Amino acid sequence: MIKKFFTRGYIFLILAFIYIPIFILVIYSFNSGKSIGAWENFSFIWYSKLAEVKDVVINTIVLAVVSAIIATLLGTLGAIGIFYSKGKLGKSVKGMSQIPVVNSEVVTACALVMLLVIMGFSHRTIFGLYVGHITLSAPFVVLSVLPKLKQMDGSLYEAALDLGATPTQALFKVILPEILPGIFSGFMLAVTLSLDDYIITATLSPLDFDTISTAVYKAIALTTEKSSEQVPIYRALTTIIFLITVAVVVVMNVRADKRVKEKRKV
């Protein structure tokens, strides 16, 4: 009994530590005042001003989706190449692909800046920004796809070749359908990493280009009247993002429960 009490209390404290700040942010997104801690009136005024940050939202979404698509393509091909490579080459490439995962983003950002400068490019360009986000996300796609390749029946590819399929046909009709869940997971992970990234974005993005992460930092760090006006707007935007995330998680859990019940009935 005491053990259960402390276990549940420990879990409750962790959840409270994580979610109480979010709930405070959500509550004060409906405050007509600009600062947290001084409640004035219940209002939707900051939600009505979300159009002022629409360019930032569009930049963030486009960057995340496009970079995730390219990272997913490169990561999937890389995972297939690693899986079917023999000997030391496959192990070496696999080890190298895992370094960016454990490496600090600061190191990655500085390395990309030096690489772009050496190649004669300006490091603050849209091209450099996309390269940075793809470099950040692709290794995680590899880690998502490799387990699915290992779970796949290795004889399927050989059977397709024996039945007359070309290597390209076997790739698209046999391997990719088998590893599709891993590819989708890698894509969603790449999108999440891009949406959440600040260091690489702040280092490589053009000075007139902002995503949500860099715009929020500028709004908080700067002390101008415009920035102080934008902080509560980003509170409203963050609330919407949080509610969308919760809705997606709930829908996914409900569908998963339905599938489990259907399997039990069968």
Side-chain angles (χ1 to χ4, degrees), residues 216-247:
V216 169
Y217 175 79
K218 289 179 181 179
I220 295 174
L222 300 177
T223 57
T224 62
E225 183 177 350
K226 182 180 179 180
S227 64
S228 63
E229 182 79 15
Q230 287 184 331
V231 170
I233 298 177
Y234 286 116
R235 284 203 290 267
L237 177 62
T238 305
T239 300
I240 293 175
I241 294 173
F242 173 70
L243 293 177
I244 292 174
T245 303
V246 171

Side-chain angles (χ1 to χ4, degrees), residues 65-115:
V65 173
V66 174
S67 64
I69 291 173
I70 299 174
T72 302
L73 177 62
L74 296 177
T76 301
L77 294 176
I80 294 173
I82 291 170
F83 181 74
Y84 285 103
S85 295
K86 303 295 183 180
K88 295 182 180 179
L89 177 61
K91 293 181 180 180
S92 300
V93 176
K94 181 180 179 181
M96 292 176 63
S97 68
Q98 293 176 354
I99 293 176
V101 175
V102 297
N103 195 25
S104 171
E105 282 190 39
V106 175
V107 176
T108 302
C110 293
L112 287 171
V113 169
M114 290 188 291
L115 177 62

Side-chain angles (χ1 to χ4, degrees), residues 255-266:
R255 287 185 176 181
D257 290 338
K258 287 183 178 179
R259 290 175 183 174
V260 171
K261 291 179 181 179
E262 290 175 357
K263 289 181 179 179
R264 289 177 179 175
K265 290 179 180 179
V266 175

Side-chain angles (χ1 to χ4, degrees), residues 61-207:
I61 295 174
V62 171
L63 174 62
V65 173
V66 174
S67 64
I69 291 173
I70 299 174
T72 302
L73 177 62
L74 296 177
T76 301
L77 294 176
I80 294 173
I82 291 170
F83 181 74
Y84 285 103
S85 295
K86 303 295 183 180
K88 295 182 180 179
L89 177 61
K91 293 181 180 180
S92 300
V93 176
K94 181 180 179 181
M96 292 176 63
S97 68
Q98 293 176 354
I99 293 176
V101 175
V102 297
N103 195 25
S104 171
E105 282 190 39
V106 175
V107 176
T108 302
C110 293
L112 287 171
V113 169
M114 290 188 291
L115 177 62
L116 291 170
V117 171
I118 290 172
M119 294 177 64
F121 296 100
S122 172
H123 68 279
R124 285 196 171 275
T125 61
I126 294 295
F127 171 76
L129 179 60
Y130 274 88
V131 169
H133 277 245
I134 294 168
T135 303
L136 173 68
S137 303
F140 290 90
V141 177
V142 173
L143 291 180
S144 296
V145 175
L146 275 177
K148 290 299 178 182
L149 286 167
K150 293 178 180 178
Q151 294 172 7
M152 183 183 66
D153 186 352
S155 62
L156 291 177
Y157 178 73
E158 296 177 359
L161 296 179
D162 291 339
L163 292 172
T166 64
T168 303
Q169 289 175 334
L171 172 65
F172 283 97
K173 293 185 178 181
V174 177
I175 296 178
L176 291 182
E178 287 290 323
I179 63 174
L180 191 59
I183 295 174
F184 180 74
S185 297
F187 172 77
M188 294 305 298
L189 184 58
V191 170
T192 303
L193 288 169
S194 179
L195 291 174
D196 188 55
D197 177 74
Y198 171 77
I199 295 175
I200 289 178
T201 305
T203 305
L204 298 174
S205 65
L207 296 176

